[in-house]
């Protein structure tokens, strides 16, 4: 068979501020692959169908001196993120041709051979929903973090930032399903409308309304799902109830430049506040099975609303990486490489 | 009987920076009390023996606009803090003459009548240790916070700030009793020597040695007992292990002026860090019985070392309030009013 193009989205340069399309990461369409003859050595040839672009990917682009312990992308190699692929050929008895696989570290490459010991999550899709829903980092992050840490009391008030984003929107809906009052902030009027449509009791555009004022009026906040850090974190501490819970699963205010400081640290002990920081990779394995059992079906039936912002073609990935950092995406950001 | 002096240590003015002796709080020796004839109305006449002066008292001197939810001292009325008194007369069947009582909110007044529904902790003192040890806020705070939140793994490294202080020194010894590695910081060479004498594996003067360097060399930190906030908090986040626990029971860096900001907030989720803030009053009731059963005896036998910095006479209380904020005390700060 004639070799065909094997496009790659490659990490090219350590980021200092926002990732610059074509500089921090670049699309490289120069490589080819012979799908019939590429040697597998006991591994699996995977065709990548869709990739998830999430804010936290920015971490893996940074100077290793800043944070040595966090996984970093390798210069000159494909970026990695959560995604779904389909098996074209296999020498691994665990995976058969046609199987759909999920990984949180799929290479941004149209086709790749996974070495023989690579482990994937085998996807079933009984609800017949789009495979992109299974990229799942965001939903699973929200689900696992909420189940593990929120433990809200009846009648609690929950505040969710970036509430129109894929993690935030899931948290809003999980909280509403438990009958709680949800305050949601987002960065555009369209996003605010979306958070209302999924059930937020109070929704506001934080660029136009002062978060402190809204929380003073609608709070105090019993559970805060934090994506932003910085001054908003202070605003929440100032309007937190005694015994409040804060769940931190991102801090986008500090990803792309000088981190925003938190000044009201003393309120953490003055108000008996507990703060749980977590990376998705730490707690999600324990919740993966429950999540896949419950959530795709809830999405298929419309019980949980879910929005995607799909961009076709890996050549657009460098731009999407920046768009997600700037909050330009409306819904879960997906790069679609192929339908099947 | 002739009325005798009833000295009071009175809250006189809201503090903006450090409390100013004779201005923020003042000693007033103008009142008298007739111990035989003062009416009790079903209450108890208490002679105050000793009072605990703790950093957190600064909170109750502040502008109510800053933090509405926290108890504040009443202008013109005695300051309150933890202390021990003895019953001189009683019309309350729960307390008899000669009983020793503990309260976390004893008025700074040589004698006072507690209204009939006032509740105290009745002290037994089988180990015959000085009553001042039972002022106990510090020890109980450390004990309750450690038992409730630390849950260290075997081989963990613990970092304690203001480790020569009454809370810190107890934490150091509780951690050592569990066989953990303890890094201790304090603000003078004498305090550093004391923390070594109670078992700290690594002790340093944070004014002379860089906390970041010490933690980078001796860490990473698995459990951090935080008293200071600010830049030291950042230094710990930078040198925290994955899954680290932070216990905040004070934040003296922000008590007396602009609070010190925390910049490395993002590390909380990057490293799966859990932060527990707590006020002594919230969790200590559950641990009071175990504490009084275990700790006074351990102090009496020398198993737990305990230092007091005793000042005689309530007239010196305004100065001691400032000294404690400045860390000038060597050991638990006590105002002794009377021996019995």
């Amino acid at each position: 068979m004639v070799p065909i193009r094997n496009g790659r989205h490659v990490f090219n340069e350590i980021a200092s501020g926002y990732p610059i399309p074509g500089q921090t990461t670049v699309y490289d369409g120069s490589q080819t692959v012979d799908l019939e003859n590429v040697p597998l050595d006991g591994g699996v040839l995977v065709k990548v169908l869709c990739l998830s672009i999430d804010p936290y990917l920015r971490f893996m682009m940074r100077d290793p001196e800043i944070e040595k312990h966090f996984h970093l992308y390798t210069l000159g190699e494909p970026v990695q993120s959560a995604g779904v692929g389909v098996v074209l050929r296999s020498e691994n008895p665990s995976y058969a041709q046609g199987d759909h696989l999920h990984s949180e570290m799929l290479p941004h490459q149209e086709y790749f051979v996974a070495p023989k010991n690579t482990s994937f999550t085998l996807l079933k899709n009984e609800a017949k929903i789009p495979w992109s829903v299974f990229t799942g980092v965001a939903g699973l992050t929200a689900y696992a973090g909420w189940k593990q840490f929120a433990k809200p009391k009846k009648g609690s008030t929950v505040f969710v930032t970036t509430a129109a984003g894929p993690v935030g929107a899931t948290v809003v809906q999980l909280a509403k399903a438990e009958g709680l009052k949800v305050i949601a902030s987002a960065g555009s009027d369209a996003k605010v409308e979306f958070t209302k449509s999924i059930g937020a009791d109070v929704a506001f555009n934080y660029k136009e309304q002062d978060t402190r004022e809204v929380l003073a009026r609608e709070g105090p906040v019993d559970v805060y799902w934090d994506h932003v850090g910085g001054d908003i974190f202070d605003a929440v501490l100032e309007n937190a109830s005694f015994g409040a819970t804060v769940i931190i699963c991102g801090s986008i205010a500090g990803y792309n430049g000088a981190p925003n400081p938190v000044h009201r640290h003393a309120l953490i002990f003055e108000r008996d506040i507990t703060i749980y920081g977590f990376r998705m990779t730490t707690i999600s394995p324990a919740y993966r099975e429950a999540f896949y059992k419950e959530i795709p079906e809830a999405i298929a039936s419309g019980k949980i609303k879910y929005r995607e912002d799909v961009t076709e073609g890996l050549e657009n990935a460098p731009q999407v990486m920046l768009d997600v950092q700037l909050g330009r995406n409306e819904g879960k950001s997906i790069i679609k490489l192929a339908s099947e």
Side-chain angles (χ1 to χ4, degrees), chain A residues 11-314:
Chain A
F11 183 46
N12 185 59
E13 191 181 289
I14 285 167
S16 56
Y18 284 99
I20 303 167
Q23 183 172 327
T24 309
T25 64
V26 297
Y27 176 74
D28 166 28
S30 68
Q31 294 198 356
T32 59
V33 59
D34 179 341
L35 297 176
E36 275 178 16
N37 298 308
V38 59
L40 303 188
D41 296 327
V44 183
L45 175 63
V46 177
K47 179 182 185 182
V48 176
L49 299 180
C50 47
L51 293 161
S52 172
I53 307 292
D54 298 284
Y56 79 92
L57 302 184
R58 173 64 178 74
F59 272 121
M60 292 178 280
M61 302 179 210
R62 66 173 150 181
D63 186 340
E65 284 306 306
I66 298 175
E67 181 54 62
K68 289 176 188 145
H69 306 285
F70 214 89
H71 177 79
L72 292 169
Y73 292 141
T74 305
L75 287 165
E77 292 294 322
V79 168
Q80 298 161 304
S81 71
V84 173
V86 61
V87 176
L88 297 186
R89 289 165 48 213
S90 177
E91 292 177 0
N92 179 335
S94 303
Y95 309 110
Q97 193 186 345
D99 278 352
H100 286 77
L101 306 178
H102 175 266
S103 165
E104 272 146 23
M105 280 290 164
L106 220 55
H108 283 212
Q109 183 164 326
E110 290 177 294
Y111 305 92
F112 73 98
V113 174
K116 66 176 169 183
N117 293 319
T118 311
S119 168
F120 296 97
T121 303
L122 250 176
L123 297 175
K124 294 182 193 110
N125 186 0
E126 286 156 7
K128 299 286 172 206
I129 55 178
W131 289 110
S132 56
V133 175
F134 291 91
T135 61
V137 165
L140 179 54
T141 299
Y143 183 88
W146 181 263
K147 298 283 182 192
Q148 175 93 0
F149 301 120
K151 298 188 172 40
K153 292 194 191 80
K154 212 181 150 186
S156 284
T157 297
V158 181
F159 176 46
V160 183
T161 46
T162 62
V167 176
T170 307
V171 173
V172 168
Q173 294 178 82
L174 290 169
K176 284 313 299 176
E178 296 190 27
L180 309 175
K181 174 176 178 179
V182 175
I183 308 172
S185 75
S188 76
D189 291 347
K191 289 178 178 177
V192 167
E193 284 312 307
F194 174 67
T195 65
K196 282 182 186 163
S197 77
I198 58 174
D201 300 282
V202 179
F204 67 101
N205 181 341
Y206 70 86
K207 293 174 184 168
E208 286 171 7
Q209 274 190 276
D210 184 55
T211 298
R212 275 182 179 75
E213 276 172 28
V214 175
L215 297 183
R217 192 174 63 236
E218 302 289 347
V221 175
D222 301 304
V223 179
Y224 171 44
W225 189 281
D226 176 39
H227 283 126
V228 293
D231 184 57
I232 299 296
F233 196 86
D234 279 335
V236 173
L237 291 178
E238 289 165 17
N239 292 286
S241 64
F242 283 80
T245 297
V246 175
I247 304 168
I248 307 181
C249 92
S251 190
I252 202 165
Y255 282 178
N256 296 289
N260 276 311
V262 171
H263 288 88
R264 305 304 306 276
H265 168 273
L267 288 167
I268 298 168
F269 87 93
E270 288 171 39
R271 299 205 184 157
D272 304 319
I273 294 170
T274 301
I275 301 176
Y276 299 103
F278 78 101
R279 290 167 304 146
M280 176 269 302
T281 45
T282 313
I283 66 163
S284 64
Y287 291 92
R288 194 185 304 278
E289 200 180 316
F291 173 80
Y292 279 120
K293 204 165 166 179
E294 189 180 329
I295 299 300
E297 198 174 296
I299 290 172
S301 72
K303 210 175 119 196
I304 285 190
K305 293 199 179 71
Y306 179 80
R307 286 198 314 173
E308 288 185 345
D309 190 331
V310 178
T311 304
E312 305 250 349
L314 194 57

